[in-house]
Amino acid sequence: MTQTTSPQSHSASEATLSGRTVLISGGSRGIGHSIAVRLAGAGANLVLLAKTDTPHPKLEGTVHTAVADVEAAGGQGLAVVGDIRHDEDVEAAVTAAVERFGGIDVVINNASAIDLRPTEALDMKRYDLMQDINARGSFALSKAAIPHLRTSASQEGWTPRILTLSPPLNLDPKWFGRHLGYTMSKYAMSMTTLGLAAELGPEGITVNSLWPATLIETAAIANLPGGEKMLAGSRKPQIMADAAYALISGSADFGGELSSPFLTDEQVLAAAGITDLSSYAVTPGTELVPDIFL
């Protein structure tokens, strides 16, 4: 039966992830924050590794307010102030998760930097930032958590997961021509998914990338040229949160093994029986803007 959903469709008493520990990079705001709160509503423990120790003058939310939101939703939260670019901070987050909650069951590579300028206009400092956060950071956090995910895989009836917010690998030259530096960094995240899926799958650890089919209402979009118009054709971050929950909890049924580790929010929700996505629209009735790389 077709289900409908809305950002308020789930209950804080939901506990299908009770006792499971999720380590997420970022999460102070935007999609990562929505995912953290959604999983907390299902009873999960959330460990947030983020730099946002103090309020930003233009952006709402810190890692501490995010943890407060996680706990208000019904989960337990732990803030780890650190930089995904620094190995010692990554190790500290993994250690903190294990010490506080006894292990790690899910890793979510959410932290990401974006700069869509063409090659000549992109300074190397911004290029390095995208490579360090997007490509290296996702690799480093996944790598550090593997021993604990392996332990989680030994638990009967549970499948640990690495979930990375990156696009399917689409080698259409237009995506390289439009914003080469950003494309390289996001595809590196996706190549990490492809490689780890092959490497860790035989050990019972599932690795996927999740990408929105349309633009999502975030500060990053708002700050782009023409951002106001793009926001009108966007969906709310809750759609990605609900898709992440459906994937992690196992409520999305794909009828067997996936042929590809790359999924969109629409594909996951359809596999969970949710096909009416109208309530996620920022501006109901406005034509939705497809996301890049699709």
Side-chain angles (χ1 to χ4, degrees):
M1 181 175 65
T2 299
Q3 300 176 12
T4 59
T5 187
S6 71
Q8 291 80 35
S9 63
H10 58 86
S11 167
S13 63
E14 183 180 39
T16 55
L17 297 178
S18 180
R20 298 298 176 189
T21 298
V22 180
L23 172 60
I24 181 171
S25 61
S28 298
R29 57 182 72 96
I31 293 172
H33 177 273
S34 294
I35 291 175
V37 172
R38 178 68 177 95
L39 299 183
N45 309 316
L46 273 296
V47 180
L48 280 67
L49 169 60
K51 296 193 302 178
T52 51
D53 187 36
T54 57
H56 188 281
K58 296 182 180 180
L59 300 173
E60 293 184 4
T62 68
V63 67
H64 306 293
T65 61
V67 165
D69 293 341
V70 159
E71 294 179 343
Q76 296 188 67
L78 177 64
V80 179
V81 178
D83 192 328
I84 194 72
R85 296 174 292 175
H86 300 156
D87 294 347
E88 60 272 21
D89 290 351
V90 170
E91 291 293 344
V94 170
T95 299
V98 173
E99 290 181 349
R100 172 72 179 274
F101 298 116
I104 298 171
D105 300 298
V106 178
V107 171
I108 300 178
N109 292 304
N110 162 74
S112 188
I114 181 172
D115 192 316
L116 299 180
R117 283 178 289 183
T119 301
E120 192 174 7
L122 180 65
D123 61 82
M124 292 309 297
K125 183 177 180 180
R126 290 293 301 179
Y127 174 89
D128 289 341
L129 179 70
M130 289 191 290
Q131 293 295 335
D132 287 347
I133 294 176
N134 302 357
R136 191 181 190 282
S138 297
F139 183 94
L141 189 64
S142 301
K143 176 181 183 295
I146 287 174
H148 306 289
L149 294 172
R150 189 175 288 124
T151 298
S152 180
S154 67
Q155 302 172 36
E156 187 175 353
W158 167 252
T159 301
R161 186 180 301 270
I162 297 173
L163 182 62
T164 298
L165 303 191
S166 67
L169 289 169
N170 181 350
L171 298 184
D172 187 326
K174 72 179 180 180
W175 300 122
F176 295 89
R178 289 182 183 179
H179 31 66
L180 178 58
Y182 179 63
T183 298
M184 290 170 68
S185 70
K186 293 304 290 189
Y187 280 10
M189 295 173 74
S190 299
M191 286 190 288
T192 300
T193 289
L194 191 64
L196 289 178
E199 184 177 343
L200 302 178
E203 299 187 58
I205 301 170
T206 299
V207 185
N208 292 109
S209 280
L210 180 65
W211 194 245
T214 70
L215 292 183
I216 300 295
E217 179 190 32
T218 63
I221 295 297
N223 291 331
L224 292 174
E228 185 175 340
K229 182 178 180 180
M230 288 190 286
L231 286 180
S234 300
R235 284 176 173 151
K236 302 169 187 175
Q238 193 63 45
I239 190 170
M240 287 288 283
D242 287 346
Y245 165 76
L247 201 57
I248 292 167
S249 68
S251 59
D253 182 6
F254 293 94
E257 292 189 11
L258 290 168
S259 59
S260 169
F262 302 110
L263 297 164
T264 67
D265 51 0
E266 290 183 356
Q267 288 174 315
V268 175
L269 291 177
I274 301 170
T275 55
D276 181 358
L277 308 179
S278 59
S279 62
Y280 292 114
V282 170
T283 308
T286 299
E287 184 178 357
L288 295 170
V289 180
D291 209 333
I292 58 177
F293 302 123
L294 298 178

Coordinates of all heavy atoms in Angstrom, one line a residue, residues 108-184:
I108 N 28.4 7.9 9.3 CA 27.8 8.7 8.2 C 28.8 9.8 7.9 O 29.1 10.7 8.7 CB 26.4 9.3 8.7 CG1 25.4 8.2 9.0 CG2 25.9 10.2 7.6 CD1 24.1 8.7 9.5
N109 N 29.2 9.8 6.6 CA 30.1 10.8 6.1 C 29.3 11.9 5.6 O 28.9 11.9 4.4 CB 31.1 10.2 5.1 CG 32.0 9.2 5.7 OD1 32.8 9.6 6.6 ND2 32.1 8.0 5.1
N110 N 29.0 12.9 6.4 CA 28.1 14.0 6.0 C 28.9 15.3 5.7 O 28.5 16.1 4.9 CB 27.1 14.2 7.2 CG 26.4 15.6 7.1 OD1 25.6 15.8 6.2 ND2 26.8 16.5 8.0
A111 N 30.0 15.5 6.5 CA 30.7 16.8 6.3 C 31.2 17.0 4.9 O 31.7 16.0 4.3 CB 31.9 16.8 7.3
S112 N 31.0 18.2 4.4 CA 31.4 18.4 3.0 C 31.6 19.9 2.8 O 30.9 20.7 3.4 CB 30.3 17.9 2.0 OG 30.7 18.0 0.7
A113 N 32.5 20.2 1.8 CA 32.7 21.6 1.4 C 32.3 21.8 0.0 O 32.5 20.8 -0.8 CB 34.2 22.0 1.7
I114 N 31.8 22.9 -0.4 CA 31.4 23.1 -1.8 C 31.9 24.5 -2.3 O 31.8 25.5 -1.6 CB 29.8 23.0 -1.9 CG1 29.4 23.2 -3.3 CG2 29.2 24.1 -1.0 CD1 27.9 23.0 -3.5
D115 N 32.4 24.4 -3.5 CA 32.7 25.6 -4.2 C 32.6 25.3 -5.7 O 33.3 24.4 -6.2 CB 34.2 26.1 -3.9 CG 34.5 27.5 -4.4 OD1 34.1 27.8 -5.6 OD2 35.1 28.3 -3.7
L116 N 31.7 25.9 -6.4 CA 31.3 25.5 -7.8 C 32.0 26.4 -8.8 O 31.7 26.3 -10.0 CB 29.8 25.6 -8.0 CG 28.9 24.7 -7.1 CD1 27.5 24.9 -7.4 CD2 29.3 23.3 -7.3
R117 N 33.0 27.1 -8.4 CA 33.7 28.0 -9.4 C 34.5 27.1 -10.4 O 35.0 26.1 -10.0 CB 34.7 28.9 -8.7 CG 34.0 30.1 -8.0 CD 34.9 31.0 -7.3 NE 35.4 30.4 -6.1 CZ 36.2 31.0 -5.2 NH1 36.6 32.3 -5.5 NH2 36.6 30.4 -4.1
P118 N 34.6 27.6 -11.6 CA 35.4 26.9 -12.6 C 36.9 26.9 -12.3 O 37.3 27.7 -11.4 CB 35.1 27.6 -13.9 CG 34.7 29.0 -13.5 CD 34.0 28.8 -12.2
T119 N 37.6 26.1 -13.0 CA 39.0 25.9 -12.6 C 39.9 27.2 -12.4 O 40.5 27.3 -11.4 CB 39.7 25.0 -13.7 OG1 39.0 23.7 -13.7 CG2 41.2 24.7 -13.3
E120 N 39.8 28.0 -13.4 CA 40.6 29.2 -13.4 C 40.3 30.1 -12.2 O 41.2 30.8 -11.7 CB 40.5 30.0 -14.7 CG 41.6 31.1 -14.8 CD 41.5 31.7 -16.2 OE1 40.6 31.4 -17.0 OE2 42.4 32.5 -16.5
A121 N 39.0 30.1 -11.8 CA 38.6 31.0 -10.7 C 38.7 30.4 -9.3 O 38.5 31.1 -8.3 CB 37.1 31.4 -11.0
L122 N 39.0 29.1 -9.3 CA 39.1 28.4 -8.0 C 40.5 28.5 -7.4 O 41.5 27.9 -8.0 CB 38.7 26.9 -8.2 CG 38.7 26.0 -6.9 CD1 37.7 26.5 -5.9 CD2 38.5 24.6 -7.3
D123 N 40.7 29.1 -6.3 CA 42.0 29.2 -5.7 C 42.4 27.9 -5.1 O 41.5 27.1 -4.7 CB 42.1 30.3 -4.7 CG 41.2 30.2 -3.5 OD1 41.5 29.4 -2.6 OD2 40.1 30.7 -3.5
M124 N 43.6 27.6 -4.9 CA 44.1 26.3 -4.5 C 43.8 26.0 -3.0 O 43.6 24.9 -2.6 CB 45.6 26.1 -4.7 CG 46.0 26.0 -6.2 SD 45.0 24.8 -7.1 CE 45.5 23.3 -6.3
K125 N 43.6 27.1 -2.2 CA 43.2 26.9 -0.8 C 41.8 26.3 -0.7 O 41.6 25.4 0.1 CB 43.2 28.3 -0.1 CG 42.9 28.2 1.4 CD 43.0 29.5 2.0 CE 42.6 29.4 3.5 NZ 42.8 30.8 4.2
R126 N 40.9 26.8 -1.6 CA 39.5 26.2 -1.6 C 39.5 24.8 -2.2 O 38.8 23.9 -1.8 CB 38.6 27.1 -2.4 CG 38.3 28.4 -1.7 CD 37.5 28.3 -0.5 NE 36.2 27.6 -0.7 CZ 35.3 27.3 0.3 NH1 35.6 27.6 1.5 NH2 34.2 26.7 0.0
Y127 N 40.4 24.6 -3.2 CA 40.5 23.3 -3.8 C 41.0 22.3 -2.7 O 40.4 21.2 -2.6 CB 41.5 23.3 -5.0 CG 41.8 21.9 -5.5 CD1 41.1 21.4 -6.5 CD2 42.9 21.2 -5.0 CE1 41.3 20.1 -7.1 CE2 43.2 19.9 -5.5 CZ 42.4 19.4 -6.5 OH 42.7 18.1 -7.0
D128 N 42.0 22.6 -2.0 CA 42.5 21.8 -0.9 C 41.5 21.5 0.2 O 41.4 20.4 0.7 CB 43.8 22.4 -0.3 CG 45.0 22.3 -1.3 OD1 45.0 21.5 -2.2 OD2 46.0 23.1 -1.0
L129 N 40.7 22.5 0.5 CA 39.7 22.4 1.5 C 38.7 21.3 1.1 O 38.3 20.4 1.9 CB 39.0 23.7 1.8 CG 37.9 23.7 2.8 CD1 38.4 23.5 4.2 CD2 37.0 25.0 2.7
M130 N 38.2 21.4 -0.2 CA 37.3 20.4 -0.6 C 37.9 19.0 -0.7 O 37.2 18.0 -0.3 CB 36.7 20.8 -2.0 CG 35.8 22.0 -2.0 SD 35.0 22.3 -3.5 CE 36.3 22.8 -4.6
Q131 N 39.1 18.9 -1.1 CA 39.7 17.6 -1.1 C 39.9 17.0 0.3 O 39.7 15.8 0.5 CB 41.1 17.6 -1.9 CG 41.0 18.0 -3.4 CD 40.3 16.9 -4.1 OE1 40.3 15.7 -3.8 NE2 39.7 17.2 -5.3
D132 N 40.4 17.9 1.2 CA 40.7 17.4 2.5 C 39.4 17.0 3.3 O 39.4 16.0 4.0 CB 41.4 18.5 3.3 CG 42.8 18.7 2.9 OD1 43.3 17.8 2.2 OD2 43.5 19.7 3.2
I133 N 38.3 17.8 3.2 CA 37.1 17.5 3.9 C 36.3 16.3 3.2 O 36.0 15.3 3.8 CB 36.2 18.7 4.0 CG1 36.9 19.7 4.9 CG2 34.8 18.3 4.6 CD1 36.1 21.0 5.1
N134 N 36.1 16.5 1.9 CA 35.2 15.6 1.2 C 35.9 14.3 0.9 O 35.4 13.2 1.3 CB 34.8 16.2 -0.2 CG 34.1 17.5 0.0 OD1 33.8 18.0 1.1 ND2 33.8 18.2 -1.1
A135 N 37.0 14.3 0.3 CA 37.7 13.0 -0.1 C 38.4 12.4 1.1 O 38.2 11.3 1.5 CB 38.7 13.3 -1.3
R136 N 39.4 13.1 1.6 CA 40.2 12.6 2.7 C 39.5 12.3 3.9 O 39.6 11.3 4.6 CB 41.4 13.5 2.9 CG 42.5 12.9 3.8 CD 43.6 13.8 4.1 NE 44.8 13.2 4.7 CZ 44.8 12.9 6.0 NH1 43.8 13.2 6.8 NH2 45.9 12.3 6.5
G137 N 38.6 13.3 4.3 CA 37.9 13.1 5.5 C 37.0 11.9 5.6 O 36.9 11.2 6.6
S138 N 36.3 11.7 4.5 CA 35.4 10.5 4.4 C 36.2 9.2 4.5 O 35.8 8.2 5.1 CB 34.6 10.5 3.1 OG 33.7 11.7 3.1
F139 N 37.3 9.2 3.8 CA 38.2 8.0 3.8 C 38.7 7.8 5.2 O 38.7 6.6 5.7 CB 39.4 8.2 2.8 CG 40.3 7.0 2.7 CD1 40.1 6.1 1.8 CD2 41.3 6.9 3.6 CE1 41.0 5.0 1.6 CE2 42.2 5.8 3.6 CZ 42.0 4.9 2.6
A140 N 39.2 8.8 5.9 CA 39.8 8.7 7.2 C 38.8 8.2 8.3 O 39.1 7.4 9.1 CB 40.4 10.0 7.6
L141 N 37.6 8.8 8.3 CA 36.6 8.5 9.3 C 36.1 7.0 9.1 O 36.0 6.3 10.0 CB 35.4 9.4 9.2 CG 34.4 9.3 10.4 CD1 35.0 9.6 11.7 CD2 33.2 10.2 10.1
S142 N 35.9 6.7 7.8 CA 35.5 5.3 7.5 C 36.6 4.3 8.0 O 36.3 3.3 8.6 CB 35.2 5.1 6.0 OG 34.2 6.0 5.6
K143 N 37.8 4.6 7.6 CA 38.9 3.7 7.9 C 39.1 3.5 9.4 O 39.3 2.4 9.9 CB 40.2 4.4 7.4 CG 41.5 3.6 7.7 CD 42.7 4.4 7.1 CE 44.0 3.6 7.4 NZ 44.4 3.6 8.8
A144 N 39.0 4.6 10.2 CA 39.2 4.5 11.6 C 38.1 3.7 12.3 O 38.3 3.1 13.4 CB 39.2 6.0 12.2
A145 N 36.9 3.7 11.7 CA 35.8 3.0 12.4 C 35.7 1.5 12.0 O 34.9 0.8 12.6 CB 34.5 3.7 12.0
I146 N 36.4 1.1 11.0 CA 36.2 -0.3 10.5 C 36.4 -1.4 11.5 O 35.5 -2.3 11.6 CB 37.2 -0.6 9.3 CG1 36.8 0.2 8.1 CG2 37.3 -2.1 9.0 CD1 37.8 0.1 6.9
P147 N 37.3 -1.3 12.4 CA 37.4 -2.4 13.4 C 36.1 -2.5 14.3 O 35.7 -3.6 14.6 CB 38.6 -2.0 14.3 CG 39.5 -1.2 13.4 CD 38.5 -0.4 12.6
H148 N 35.5 -1.4 14.6 CA 34.3 -1.4 15.4 C 33.1 -1.8 14.6 O 32.2 -2.5 15.1 CB 34.2 0.0 16.0 CG 35.4 0.4 16.8 ND1 35.8 -0.1 18.0 CD2 36.3 1.4 16.5 CE1 36.9 0.4 18.4 NE2 37.3 1.3 17.5
L149 N 33.0 -1.4 13.3 CA 32.0 -1.9 12.5 C 32.1 -3.4 12.3 O 31.0 -4.1 12.2 CB 32.0 -1.2 11.1 CG 31.8 0.3 11.1 CD1 32.1 0.9 9.8 CD2 30.3 0.6 11.5
R150 N 33.3 -3.9 12.2 CA 33.5 -5.4 12.1 C 32.9 -6.1 13.4 O 32.3 -7.2 13.3 CB 35.0 -5.7 11.9 CG 35.3 -7.1 11.6 CD 36.7 -7.3 11.3 NE 37.1 -6.7 10.0 CZ 38.1 -5.8 9.9 NH1 38.7 -5.3 11.0 NH2 38.4 -5.3 8.7
T151 N 33.1 -5.5 14.5 CA 32.6 -6.1 15.8 C 31.1 -6.0 15.7 O 30.4 -7.0 16.1 CB 33.1 -5.3 17.0 OG1 34.5 -5.4 17.1 CG2 32.5 -5.8 18.3
S152 N 30.5 -4.9 15.2 CA 29.1 -4.7 15.1 C 28.5 -5.8 14.2 O 27.4 -6.3 14.4 CB 28.7 -3.3 14.6 OG 27.4 -3.1 14.5
A153 N 29.2 -6.2 13.2 CA 28.7 -7.1 12.2 C 28.5 -8.5 12.8 O 27.8 -9.3 12.2 CB 29.7 -7.2 11.0
S154 N 29.2 -8.8 13.9 CA 29.1 -10.1 14.5 C 27.8 -10.3 15.3 O 27.4 -11.4 15.7 CB 30.2 -10.3 15.5 OG 30.2 -9.4 16.6
Q155 N 27.0 -9.2 15.4 CA 25.7 -9.3 16.1 C 24.6 -9.8 15.2 O 24.4 -9.2 14.2 CB 25.3 -7.9 16.7 CG 26.4 -7.3 17.6 CD 26.1 -5.9 18.0 OE1 24.9 -5.5 18.1 NE2 27.1 -5.0 18.1
E156 N 24.0 -10.8 15.6 CA 22.9 -11.5 14.8 C 21.8 -10.5 14.6 O 21.3 -9.8 15.5 CB 22.4 -12.7 15.5 CG 21.5 -13.6 14.7 CD 21.1 -14.9 15.3 OE1 21.7 -15.2 16.3 OE2 20.2 -15.6 14.8
G157 N 21.3 -10.5 13.4 CA 20.1 -9.7 13.0 C 20.4 -8.2 12.8 O 19.4 -7.4 12.8
W158 N 21.6 -7.8 12.7 CA 22.0 -6.4 12.5 C 23.0 -6.3 11.4 O 23.9 -7.1 11.3 CB 22.5 -5.8 13.8 CG 23.2 -4.5 13.6 CD1 24.5 -4.2 13.7 CD2 22.5 -3.3 13.3 NE1 24.7 -2.9 13.4 CE2 23.5 -2.3 13.2 CE3 21.2 -2.9 13.1 CZ2 23.2 -0.9 12.9 CZ3 20.9 -1.6 12.8 CH2 21.9 -0.6 12.7
T159 N 22.9 -5.3 10.6 CA 23.9 -5.0 9.5 C 24.5 -3.6 9.7 O 23.8 -2.6 9.6 CB 23.2 -5.0 8.1 OG1 22.7 -6.3 7.9 CG2 24.3 -4.8 7.1
P160 N 25.7 -3.5 10.1 CA 26.4 -2.2 10.3 C 26.6 -1.6 8.9 O 26.6 -2.3 7.9 CB 27.7 -2.5 10.9 CG 28.0 -3.9 10.5 CD 26.7 -4.6 10.4
R161 N 26.7 -0.2 8.9 CA 26.7 0.5 7.6 C 27.6 1.7 7.6 O 27.7 2.4 8.6 CB 25.3 0.9 7.3 CG 25.1 1.5 5.9 CD 23.7 1.9 5.7 NE 22.8 0.8 5.8 CZ 22.4 0.0 4.8 NH1 22.9 0.2 3.6 NH2 21.5 -1.0 5.0
I162 N 28.3 1.9 6.5 CA 28.9 3.2 6.2 C 28.0 3.9 5.2 O 27.7 3.4 4.1 CB 30.3 3.1 5.7 CG1 31.2 2.4 6.7 CG2 30.9 4.5 5.3 CD1 32.6 2.1 6.2
L163 N 27.5 5.1 5.5 CA 26.7 5.9 4.6 C 27.3 7.2 4.3 O 27.6 8.0 5.2 CB 25.3 6.1 5.2 CG 24.3 6.8 4.4 CD1 24.0 6.0 3.1 CD2 23.0 7.1 5.2
T164 N 27.6 7.5 3.0 CA 28.3 8.7 2.6 C 27.4 9.5 1.7 O 26.7 9.0 0.8 CB 29.6 8.3 1.8 OG1 30.5 7.6 2.7 CG2 30.3 9.6 1.3
L165 N 27.3 10.8 2.0 CA 26.4 11.7 1.2 C 27.2 12.2 0.0 O 27.8 13.2 0.0 CB 25.9 12.9 2.1 CG 25.2 12.5 3.3 CD1 24.5 13.7 4.0 CD2 24.2 11.4 3.1
S166 N 27.1 11.4 -1.0 CA 27.8 11.7 -2.3 C 27.1 11.1 -3.5 O 26.3 10.2 -3.3 CB 29.3 11.1 -2.2 OG 29.3 9.7 -2.2
P167 N 27.3 11.6 -4.7 CA 26.5 11.2 -5.8 C 26.9 9.9 -6.5 O 28.0 9.4 -6.2 CB 26.7 12.4 -6.8 CG 28.2 12.8 -6.5 CD 28.3 12.6 -5.0
P168 N 26.1 9.3 -7.3 CA 26.5 8.2 -8.1 C 27.6 8.6 -9.1 O 27.7 9.8 -9.4 CB 25.2 7.8 -8.9 CG 24.4 9.0 -8.8 CD 24.7 9.7 -7.6
L169 N 28.4 7.7 -9.4 CA 29.6 8.0 -10.3 C 29.0 8.2 -11.8 O 28.8 7.2 -12.4 CB 30.6 7.0 -10.2 CG 31.4 7.0 -8.9 CD1 32.3 5.7 -8.8 CD2 32.3 8.2 -8.8
N170 N 28.9 9.4 -12.2 CA 28.4 9.7 -13.5 C 29.5 10.4 -14.3 O 29.9 11.6 -14.0 CB 27.2 10.6 -13.4 CG 26.6 11.0 -14.7 OD1 27.1 10.7 -15.8 ND2 25.4 11.6 -14.7
L171 N 30.1 9.7 -15.2 CA 31.3 10.3 -16.0 C 30.9 11.1 -17.2 O 31.7 11.4 -18.0 CB 32.2 9.1 -16.4 CG 32.7 8.3 -15.2 CD1 33.7 7.2 -15.7 CD2 33.4 9.2 -14.2
D172 N 29.7 11.6 -17.2 CA 29.3 12.6 -18.2 C 30.2 13.8 -18.1 O 30.3 14.4 -17.0 CB 27.9 13.1 -18.0 CG 27.3 13.9 -19.1 OD1 28.1 14.7 -19.7 OD2 26.1 13.9 -19.4
P173 N 31.0 14.2 -19.2 CA 32.0 15.3 -19.1 C 31.4 16.6 -18.6 O 32.1 17.4 -18.1 CB 32.5 15.4 -20.5 CG 32.2 14.0 -21.1 CD 31.0 13.5 -20.5
K174 N 30.1 16.8 -18.7 CA 29.5 18.1 -18.3 C 29.7 18.4 -16.8 O 29.9 19.5 -16.5 CB 28.1 18.2 -18.7 CG 27.1 17.4 -17.8 CD 25.7 17.6 -18.3 CE 24.7 16.8 -17.4 NZ 23.3 17.0 -17.9
W175 N 29.7 17.3 -16.0 CA 29.9 17.6 -14.6 C 31.3 17.9 -14.3 O 31.6 18.6 -13.3 CB 29.5 16.3 -13.8 CG 28.0 16.0 -14.0 CD1 27.5 14.8 -14.5 CD2 26.9 16.8 -13.8 NE1 26.2 14.9 -14.6 CE2 25.7 16.1 -14.2 CE3 26.7 18.2 -13.4 CZ2 24.5 16.7 -14.1 CZ3 25.5 18.7 -13.3 CH2 24.4 18.0 -13.6
F176 N 32.3 17.5 -15.0 CA 33.7 17.9 -14.9 C 33.9 19.3 -15.4 O 34.6 20.1 -14.8 CB 34.6 16.9 -15.5 CG 34.6 15.6 -14.9 CD1 33.7 14.6 -15.3 CD2 35.4 15.2 -13.9 CE1 33.6 13.3 -14.8 CE2 35.4 14.0 -13.3 CZ 34.5 13.0 -13.7
G177 N 33.3 19.6 -16.5 CA 33.4 20.9 -17.1 C 32.8 22.1 -16.4 O 33.3 23.2 -16.4
R178 N 31.8 21.8 -15.6 CA 31.1 22.9 -14.9 C 31.8 23.3 -13.6 O 31.9 24.5 -13.3 CB 29.7 22.4 -14.5 CG 28.8 22.3 -15.7 CD 27.3 21.9 -15.3 NE 26.5 21.8 -16.5 CZ 25.2 21.4 -16.4 NH1 24.6 21.2 -15.3 NH2 24.5 21.3 -17.5
H179 N 32.4 22.3 -12.9 CA 33.0 22.6 -11.6 C 34.0 21.5 -11.2 O 33.7 20.7 -10.4 CB 32.0 22.8 -10.5 CG 30.7 22.0 -10.7 ND1 30.7 20.6 -10.6 CD2 29.4 22.4 -10.9 CE1 29.4 20.2 -10.8 NE2 28.6 21.3 -11.0
L180 N 35.1 21.5 -11.9 CA 36.0 20.4 -11.9 C 36.5 20.1 -10.4 O 36.5 18.9 -10.0 CB 37.2 20.6 -12.8 CG 38.3 19.6 -12.8 CD1 37.8 18.2 -13.2 CD2 39.4 20.0 -13.7
G181 N 36.9 21.1 -9.7 CA 37.4 20.9 -8.4 C 36.4 20.2 -7.5 O 36.7 19.2 -6.8
Y182 N 35.2 20.7 -7.5 CA 34.1 20.1 -6.6 C 33.8 18.7 -7.1 O 33.6 17.8 -6.2 CB 32.9 21.0 -6.6 CG 31.8 20.5 -5.8 CD1 31.9 20.4 -4.4 CD2 30.5 20.2 -6.4 CE1 30.8 19.9 -3.6 CE2 29.5 19.7 -5.6 CZ 29.6 19.6 -4.2 OH 28.6 19.1 -3.5
T183 N 33.6 18.6 -8.4 CA 33.3 17.2 -8.9 C 34.4 16.2 -8.5 O 34.0 15.1 -8.0 CB 33.2 17.3 -10.4 OG1 32.1 18.2 -10.8 CG2 32.9 15.9 -11.0
M184 N 35.6 16.5 -8.6 CA 36.7 15.6 -8.2 C 36.5 15.2 -6.7 O 36.7 14.0 -6.4 CB 38.0 16.2 -8.5 CG 38.4 16.4 -9.9 SD 39.9 17.4 -10.2 CE 41.1 16.3 -9.5

